Each structure stands twice: as structure tokens, then as C-alpha cells.
Amino acid sequence: MGRPELAVLGLACCLAGVSAAKLGVVHTEGGFVEGVNKKLGLLGIGGRSVDVFKGIPFAAPPQALENPQRHPGWQGTLKATDFKQRCLQVTDTQEDTEGSEDCLYLNIWVPQGRKEVSQNLPVMIWIYGGGFLMGSTQELNVFNNYEFEGEEIATRGSVIVVTFNYRLGPLGFLSTGDAHLPGNYGLRDQHMAIAWVKRNIAAFGGDPNNISIVGESAGGASVSLQTLSPYSKGLIRRAISESGVALAPWAIQKDPLSWAKGIAKEVGCPLDDTARMAKCLKVTDPRALTLAYKIPLVGKEYPIVHYVGLVPVIDGDFIPDDPINLFANAADIDYIAGTNNMDGHLFASVDLPAINIDNKIVTREDFFKLVSKLTFAKGPRGANATFDLYTASWAQDSSQEAKKKTVVDLETDVFFLMPTKMAVAQHRASAKSARTYTYLFSHPTRNPFYPSWVGADHTDELPYVFGKPFATPLGYRPQDRTVSRTMIAYWTNFARTGDPNKGHSAVPTQWDPYTQENGNYLEINKKMDGQSLKQHLRSSYLQYWTQTYQALPTVTGDGAAPLPPSDDSEAVP
Ligand SMILES: *[C@@H]1O[C@H](CO)[C@@H](O)[C@H](O)[C@H]1NC(C)=O
Ligand SMILES: *[C@@H]1O[C@H](CO)[C@@H](O)[C@H](O)[C@H]1NC(C)=O
């Protein structure tokens, strides 16, 4: 490198150094923390930067199967520069564990302009998904970039982004269904993190009265549950649930004791008395507890989602009642909830792998079998009625593609779309001044192994929300950057004003609120215009599931959800 370049570099560094605003050491309730100030743009010219804090404790290291407690604090200055370990969980193969019990830490991204440090910024807190079983703030995505890195949202939308870890699997959600192990430890971790942000974010330049919580899948259901819990009173101003709500049939375990027994049996704890069972489980090696619960991938009797069993429970306290009865608690919270147009594809692919293989066929019998398992609680009448409704269109189009899409539609409806439509309707009915919006994300999957008819699969919107087409541009096309810009604009405008159309970022088209009468929803994809605001998505199916199907007599289980009752001998091998 020649001398002129060196001189330019030197100048850039010093100009940026003089003019850039940064936080430096921040005082929190636990003590001082110091993050890293990262310059943005070419050589930091322009003076924009982001302050990044990683690994701040928001609770003390937790005791197994106990509620989280406040952190006692620390001396000196905590260097908040690296992600802490993920919460203890099974690895992808489910044969080993990774992570740590000591995992209750959060991360913060604060965008800074040139002159003064930011003040009163809206705050977006992210809750990751993973079936309440897996996940962390530090998942790597395919381009070796952290999936939930907050930098793009923070700097493009001028908001503070916070991510945090919460306990998972048995350590997060095991419950005996009584006071001995009430459960919901992972939900209480989430609450601790949100409450920490409320108490401390002003010191980072955030507005504690402008907190939004946002999550996907189990994280979306968590967002929904946090808004419904009486513990959140006054904490949360707005919320976004992506592909998961509290009313999803997989979000609440109605029979936690049978799952607790399966785990107790596996680790050799007493089964007959919940006091003795709880005492024994609390002193069992946490790694053994974590490994005692596995999702069977072969030889399973029910659809895969059925085996997501260690999840939140109605504990009479944090979740005091069935979520359907708790919407009054969310009446003051602005809410967006939406789904991907093929959210069920990922799960249908496990239940009926032929849908992804061009030279394999799906027969009426295959589909009937799947329907029967999904409608187990209503017996043969439920299966027949559901089968007839979903196969009606096959009379006009009996192609394999049509049939395979029907399989995906069924799982999308049951696990994601219908519960989301119900949650949005409930929120709208309870909300007074608060707003309600809903969306359908339909930018097709980029997975090269899927057939060309596959739309937006479960989790497919995440890279766009987190700005990956900008962070790792080589992996994406210009149209992907359009989708990402659009999502970040709506999401961060909403966090700022409660209206996704109004804020710092221009949006491609007006997104009007939902009411039961207008049935408005926004279809989000690469080509958006006045036609993107649509009405009454699959309303006849909603009517079927909430009225016709519900009215059928239940033959087994409580019939509250279109899922078979849990069967611990099957689910916990
Ligand atoms: C939230 O932020 C916006 C924009 O900065 C501001 O107008 C509003 O007063 C803030 N507070 C609340 C409670 O909405
Ligand atoms: C379900 O449909 C099958 C085939 O049409 C029929 O034989 C059976 O009687 C029906 N069962 C019920 C309970 O409606």
C-alpha cells in the first residue's frame, strides 16, 4: 500500500474518532458494562456506528427447575464483548448436549449517529424459536454470520435491538402440573429479560415506554404468552408474533404430568408421588434430564408436531388460565401476528416425505391417514369431515402437485394459520385503543432441495427480518434485499409508532389494521402495491375449524386442540 492511501486511512480514522458518538461504559443495576463500538460504512466515514454489548447477565445463574432470580451484581466493569453459552440443550443429533445451565444473558445493539449518543430510541426484544427445545441468540446461519445479529435492524430502523437466551426442554418446561414443579421456567426467564430491559435500557439510550417484543415460532408463541400474562402489566407496549401464537395447539401442554413421568422414568426418579418425583428431578444431572426428552424422527405414530411436548403450561400464576381467556391482559398492546404461506411444509415433510420427491406420489389413503392423526380427538367423523373439505378441490385438479400442496395447507392451517387468525380476532375484540395487524409472508423458499411449488416455509422470513441480504449480500439477489428492506421498515416503524406505515422508513404500500369485518391482511413479498392488502384469508376454513369441527363430539382427550392427547410411552422413548 502506497503512502497516499495510508494518509487517507489515517484521516478517516481520526475524523471518525473525533466525531462519532459512542456509549463507552454504561451503568446498569448490576454494575458497569462496556461493549464495543463498531464503525459503519467505508472506513467509518460518516461517523455512524453501533454500540454492541454481548453477554450481560439479566438474572443469576439459575437453579435447575426453579424460577430465575435477580443477579446479585458485580464489582468493576464487565467486558460485554462475547456471546455467553447457549442454554443447555440437545444437539441436532439429540445424542449429546451443548450449552450451559449458566445461560441467562442478553445482548444489545444501539445505533449511533455522528454527534450525540442516541436517546429515547424504541426497543425491540427478540425471542427465538426452536420448539421450546432448541435455539439461542447465537445461531450461525449458512453464511457463517449470526442469524440473530441485531445490527441491520438497529441501524436501518434506528431502534435498539435486544436478544437473550432462555431455558429450554426439560430444564425450561418440565412440570408435574402441580405446585411441586409448576413449570414455565423458560417463560419466566423471558419475563426476567424483558423486565431487565424495562429497568435498564434508558442507560443505553432506549425508551423504556416503547418496548416491543418480537419472536418466531415458539418465540412467536412466547411473545403471545408474555402479552397475555398478568406479570407483563405495564412492561410491553407492542408485540409481533411470527408463525406462532399462544392459541397454537402445540403452545400449551394440557397434560404435563404424563410427560414428566416419561422423563422421571428415563432418569430413574419415582413416578407415584409428585413431591418425591420433583425432589429427585431437581437433583438429577441436568445433562441427563436434557437427554431424557427426544423428538422421535422415525417410527413415530403421530405427526411430528405432536411430540413438541415440553412447552408452557397453565400454572395458575404466570399463565393463570387458558390463553383464550387472557386476552384482556393484552388490551393495551399493539399487536402484529402473521404466518408464512407454507409454514406447515417443514413439518409435513417429516410426516409425509413423498411431498418433496417428484417421482413419489401421495394417495388419497396417505392423506386420509394424516388427517385421521391430526383429528384424533374427534374420531372418524372428524377425519371424514376434514378429509372431505380439504380434498374437495381435487375433483377439479387431481395432479400430484395439487395433492402435495393440500398436505401442506392442512398442516399450515392446523398448526399456524388458524390459531393465528383466532389470536388476531381475539386481540382485536379485546383491544380498546391498541391496534391489530396481520400479514401473510409469501416470498418463496430458497431451499434448493424443495420442489418449485414450495412457497414460504417455516422460518423462511427470518433472514429478511434480520437483514441478511444486506449483511451477507453474496448469498442473495436484489429482490431479496427488497423484501428485507420492506420487512425491516414495517417492523421498526411499528416498534416506533404502533403503525407499521409511520416512522423513519418508507414502506411500499399502506398496511391497514385488521378488524373482524374487513378481514384485512398484508401479503408480503417482492412485489408489493395497492393489491397487497387483501381480505379474509381462508375464512371458510377458519369457520370449519372453529365451528363445524369444534361442534363434533370429542371421542378422546379434551378436544380443545386438533391434536391427539399426549401418550408418554410413545413420545418419550
Ligand atoms: C415512543 O416513541 C415515539 C417516537 O420516538 C414517541 O413519539 C412516543 O412518545 C414514545 N413513547 C410512547 C409511550 O409511545
Ligand atoms: C367415514 O367415511 C367412510 C367412507 O366414506 C364411511 O364408510 C364411514 O362410515 C364414515 N364414518 C363416519 C363416522 O362418518
Side-chain angles (χ1 to χ4, degrees):
M1 189 183 283
R3 285 198 157 272
E5 283 95 328
L6 265 182
V8 170
L9 265 181
L11 187 63
C13 110
C14 300
L15 276 177
V18 168
S19 57
K22 62 176 176 188
L23 276 168
V25 174
V26 175
H27 187 244
T28 72
E29 63 188 25
F32 292 100
V33 296
E34 184 173 15
V36 172
N37 181 261
K38 183 181 166 195
K39 305 261 182 290
L40 298 173
L42 193 63
L43 306 171
I45 295 168
R48 288 174 64 244
S49 68
V50 56
D51 279 310
V52 185
F53 300 82
K54 289 179 176 168
I56 301 178
F58 62 84
Q63 299 291 307
L65 305 174
E66 301 280 0
N67 289 343
Q69 304 295 327
R70 287 267 194 115
H71 197 279
W74 54 90
Q75 299 291 312
T77 299
L78 187 112
K79 294 279 185 208
T81 53
D82 293 298
F83 287 126
K84 296 287 183 179
Q85 287 197 66
R86 68 190 55 220
C87 289
L88 190 61
Q89 57 193 269
V90 289
T91 56
D92 289 346
T93 62
Q94 303 191 93
E95 274 157 19
D96 200 358
T97 63
E98 59 181 330
S100 169
E101 274 188 278
D102 177 9
C103 64
L104 302 183
Y105 297 86
L106 54 73
N107 318 298
I108 306 176
W109 287 261
V110 185
Q112 302 292 4
R114 204 150 50 82
K115 294 219 171 72
E116 285 155 24
V117 290
S118 302
Q119 273 182 351
N120 270 321
L121 289 179
V123 183
M124 294 178 79
I125 306 179
W126 175 254
I127 308 183
Y128 56 75
F132 299 103
L133 186 65
M134 295 185 237
S136 73
T137 61
Q138 55 266 40
E139 298 301 312
L140 282 175
N141 80 355
V142 276
F143 300 105
N144 211 34
N145 165 279
Y146 287 107
E147 188 173 10
F148 303 134
E149 186 84 42
E151 183 179 314
E152 295 292 336
I153 302 176
T155 58
R156 287 173 185 276
S158 297
V159 299
I160 291 183
V161 175
V162 180
T163 66
F164 66 84
N165 283 335
Y166 61 93
R167 283 175 284 172
L168 298 161
L171 294 175
F173 295 96
L174 187 57
S175 170
T176 49
D178 61 17
H180 296 299
L181 279 184
N184 288 343
Y185 309 105
L187 279 191
R188 288 177 186 270
D189 294 344
Q190 296 174 359
H191 172 73
M192 285 289 270
I194 298 165
W196 188 96
V197 170
K198 175 88 176 168
R199 295 192 303 271
N200 291 278
I201 206 66
F204 295 83
D207 177 355
N209 297 315
N210 255 334
I211 295 178
S212 298
I213 59 174
V214 189
E216 184 268 344
S217 191
S222 297
V223 161
S224 173
L225 287 164
Q226 294 296 337
T227 67
L228 302 179
S229 172
Y231 278 68
S232 297
K233 194 149 193 58
L235 273 189
I236 301 163
R237 174 106 183 153
R238 315 187 223 279
I240 305 178
S241 288
E242 303 171 20
S243 306
V245 293
L247 303 182
W250 45 265
I252 294 282
Q253 178 54 260
K254 297 260 173 77
D255 181 17
L257 183 58
S258 73
W259 292 78
K261 280 183 178 166
I263 288 172
K265 192 168 149 203
E266 187 76 16
V267 299
C269 285
L271 302 184
D272 48 342
D273 170 80
T274 55
R276 288 175 58 227
M277 188 196 295
K279 215 169 145 195
C280 174
L281 288 168
K282 284 183 185 185
V283 298
T284 298
D285 174 12
R287 287 190 160 66
L289 267 189
T290 301
L291 282 171
Y293 171 64
K294 287 175 189 164
I295 293 197
L297 291 177
V298 289
K300 62 190 181 53
E301 191 181 338
Y302 293 115
I304 184 77
V305 173
H306 170 72
Y307 298 94
V308 179
L310 282 173
V311 303
V313 295
I314 299 164
D315 59 6
D317 181 36
F318 195 83
I319 303 297
D321 195 355
D322 193 305
I324 195 88
N325 299 321
L326 297 176
F327 278 80
N329 291 330
D332 298 323
I333 297 175
D334 299 315
Y335 191 40
I336 295 177
T339 52
N340 296 352
N341 69 345
M342 294 204 192
D343 258 323
H345 177 267
L346 182 66
F347 308 94
S349 300
V350 180
D351 297 332
L352 213 49
I355 63 168
N356 288 331
I357 306 169
D358 281 341
N359 57 11
K360 288 229 168 141
I361 61 163
V362 170
T363 64
R364 290 177 80 83
E365 290 67 38
D366 294 332
F367 186 59
F368 187 78
K369 248 191 190 156
L370 180 66
V371 168
S372 309
K373 289 170 180 175
L374 284 166
T375 56
F376 189 84
K378 301 287 187 179
R381 287 181 64 188
N384 277 7
T386 307
F387 181 78
D388 290 347
L389 175 70
Y390 279 83
T391 57
S393 63
W394 294 5
Q396 283 86 53
D397 182 356
S398 62
S399 68
Q400 273 301 305
E401 183 175 317
K403 288 182 176 166
K404 290 172 175 178
K405 278 182 178 163
T406 303
V407 173
V408 175
D409 284 344
L410 174 69
E411 296 217 8
T412 300
D413 281 354
V414 169
F415 296 126
F416 303 100
L417 180 60
M418 298 303 150
T420 299
K421 287 177 72 83
M422 285 162 65
V424 164
Q426 288 292 326
H427 184 266
R428 169 63 200 178
S430 316
K432 294 168 219 109
S433 57
R435 301 161 202 247
T436 312
Y437 296 89
T438 181
Y439 71 87
L440 180 73
F441 178 79
S442 64
H443 189 53
T445 189
R446 308 265 342 258
N447 188 321
F449 300 106
Y450 289 158
S452 57
W453 52 264
V454 179
D457 201 352
H458 198 55
T459 76
D460 273 349
E461 87 289 7
L462 291 174
Y464 305 98
V465 172
F466 279 85
K468 295 308 165 199
F470 299 105
T472 53
L474 285 181
Y476 293 93
R477 306 157 296 181
Q479 64 184 60
D480 302 321
R481 280 180 277 282
T482 302
V483 172
S484 186
R485 193 176 295 113
T486 296
M487 291 201 92
I488 293 176
Y490 284 124
W491 266 218
T492 56
N493 283 349
F494 177 76
R496 175 161 274 105
T497 66
D499 178 343
N501 307 290
K502 294 208 187 89
H504 285 194
S505 306
V507 295
T509 189
Q510 174 78 13
W511 181 357
D512 287 343
Y514 161 94
T515 67
Q516 211 131 8
E517 299 71 43
N518 69 26
N520 278 340
Y521 70 96
L522 186 73
E523 181 161 357
I524 301 176
N525 53 33
K526 68 177 179 187
K527 190 177 170 300
M528 296 187 69
D529 54 29
Q531 308 298 306
S532 301
L533 187 72
K534 302 184 175 180
Q535 283 78 34
H536 298 295
L537 177 62
R538 290 175 78 77
S539 283
S540 60
Y541 289 84
L542 181 68
Q543 197 166 350
Y544 169 74
W545 286 108
T546 56
Q547 293 170 27
T548 317
Y549 180 81
Q550 277 305 318
L552 293 173
T554 297
V555 299
T556 178
D558 67 1
L563 266 187
S566 62
D567 173 350
D568 59 297
S569 61
E570 275 299 321
V572 187

